[in-house]
Amino acid sequence: MSSEIKRRGLMLVLSSPSGAGKTTLSRRLLESDGSIVMSVSATTRAMRPNEVEGRDYFFVSKEKFQAMAKAGEFLEHATVFGNSYGTPARPVMGALAAGRDVLFDIDWQGAQQLKEKARDDLVSVFILPPSHDELERRLHTRAQDSEDVVRARMEKAAGEISHWPEYDYVIVNRDVDIAHTQIKSVLEAERVRRTRQIGLSEFVSALTGGE
Ligand code: 5GP
């Protein structure tokens, strides 16, 4: 008899102001954990030099984005810094039903929409930078963005940070290894939440001699 207990996957949302190290942490998590897959969003923003279509985003026109939204293809969608971003619903629902977890790099608006739609499946984590100075420094070392974009993001950071109380967990990214371990711990604990282990009754009845 297999000891695998059937479980429903969870949605792990990571949000943070730009420059808090969320991209690095997402990458680390995907590399270190074979059971979590990244949700690839659609966006109307321009592709950056090191980005890959279908890996980082599905880059779509405004018209295409609107058509997808109208057709109900998004689990959530929002405007962030003047561009539209949306989470395609179908891959997420398929992964959850198959017992795989899904990682989302989305903003507070997206987290809020997922909370309304799928509270039981959602685990949300807000990543904070260690200090104001460090946040500023990290934003300025990103070469891809124009100065205008950096300034706009710095101004928005305070607004984004104000949403931390809406999240289940808050992690201060002082040290990337520690922050990574903390996210992994959240994930491991949430995976064994009783309500997600939908095969438990069956498992326990087999344990205790039932069929
Ligand atoms: P960037 O343009 O730097 O890749 O992302 C800008 C912001 O948009 C980030 O805070 C990111 O988390 C957020 N974002 C990316 N994809 C989505 C999405 O599908 N939905 C929402 N609500 N936010 C997203």
Side-chain angles (χ1 to χ4, degrees):
M1 187 195 81
S2 158
S3 62
E4 274 290 304
I5 297 169
K6 195 168 180 227
R7 71 174 184 95
R8 182 168 168 79
L10 58 81
M11 299 178 172
L12 183 68
V13 167
L14 295 187
S15 298
S16 75
S18 173
K22 178 182 50 176
T23 311
T24 308
L25 286 168
S26 302
R27 207 175 299 134
R28 284 266 198 115
L29 191 62
L30 291 167
E31 282 164 8
S32 69
D33 191 301
S35 321
I36 193 159
V37 291
M38 185 88 203
S39 164
V40 180
S41 300
T43 182
T44 60
R45 94 149 153 69
M47 194 192 280
R48 292 179 187 143
N50 52 355
E51 287 181 325
V52 175
E53 163 72 21
R55 183 196 69 185
D56 297 289
Y57 284 104
F58 297 108
F59 295 92
V60 298
S61 65
K62 286 184 180 141
E63 294 70 30
K64 169 85 176 157
F65 191 94
Q66 271 165 12
M68 289 172 82
K70 208 169 158 198
E73 289 179 30
F74 293 130
L75 205 51
E76 62 75 38
H77 61 97
T79 303
V80 188
F81 309 122
N83 294 306
S84 302
Y85 295 84
T87 301
R90 204 180 305 157
V92 175
M93 301 332 272
L96 295 186
R100 279 195 306 278
D101 305 313
V102 185
L103 178 65
F104 299 78
D105 173 345
I106 61 176
D107 81 333
W108 64 271
Q109 303 173 83
Q112 212 165 63
Q113 291 174 49
L114 292 186
K115 202 167 171 179
E116 282 157 21
K117 274 196 184 160
R119 183 66 190 102
D120 293 347
D121 290 328
L122 179 69
V123 177
S124 61
V125 179
F126 199 87
I127 315 283
L128 287 172
S131 67
H132 177 87
D133 286 357
E134 181 58 18
L135 175 63
E136 202 164 51
R137 197 188 65 75
R138 289 184 195 175
L139 281 177
H140 280 278
T141 52
R142 280 197 173 189
Q144 302 106 310
D145 297 315
S146 70
E147 276 301 304
D148 276 356
V149 171
V150 172
R151 205 173 309 120
R153 286 188 169 184
M154 198 61 207
E155 279 165 20
K156 296 265 178 168
E160 291 199 51
I161 287 173
S162 74
H163 291 278
W164 67 267
E166 296 153 28
Y167 286 72
D168 299 324
Y169 298 89
V170 177
I171 291 175
V172 179
N173 185 14
R174 286 193 185 85
D175 174 295
V176 74
D177 291 327
I178 295 172
H180 171 69
T181 305
Q182 288 172 328
I183 295 173
K184 282 281 284 182
S185 308
V186 165
L187 182 59
E188 291 300 346
E190 291 285 350
R191 278 175 173 161
V192 291
R193 197 177 268 282
R194 174 176 48 78
T195 49
R196 292 209 169 92
Q197 299 195 74
I198 52 182
L200 266 182
S201 299
E202 200 185 338
F203 180 76
V204 171
S205 78
L207 264 188
T208 54
E211 66 265 22

